[in-house]
Amino acid sequence: MEEVLIKVAGMSCQGCVKNLTGALSATPGVTSVAVSLEQGEARVGYDPAQVSANALRTVVEDCGFDAS
Ligand code: 9UX
């Protein structure tokens, strides 16, 4: 299992946190998700055999936020 810390720009309320948490959690291979509005980041645990850190960044972008 791997873990990645993704910087997320553009979250402005807990609804954003909930939406992003849901999208990441629904992604195959994701095993844990912790999104912080205050820190502007998402810590994601995942199985590298099923999903990549870059694919996770794409999920964040598809949610309407900037990932880096
Ligand atoms: Mo809050 Mo975020 O009203 O996409 S849900 S700004």
Side-chain angles (χ1 to χ4, degrees):
M1 218 57 62
E2 303 257 327
E3 191 174 74
V4 66
L5 185 62
I6 302 172
K7 283 282 164 197
V8 182
M11 291 192 294
S12 41
C13 82
Q14 287 298 336
C16 298
V17 173
K18 196 172 178 186
N19 293 339
L20 181 56
T21 300
L24 288 167
S25 299
T27 302
V30 169
T31 55
S32 66
V33 180
V35 178
S36 168
L37 177 62
E38 292 74 17
Q39 306 298 316
E41 63 191 26
R43 190 176 295 275
V44 186
Y46 63 99
D47 176 359
Q50 295 185 69
V51 70
S52 67
N54 268 335
L56 295 172
R57 290 187 187 93
T58 299
V59 171
V60 174
E61 300 266 355
D62 288 348
C63 245
F65 307 114
D66 277 329
S68 57

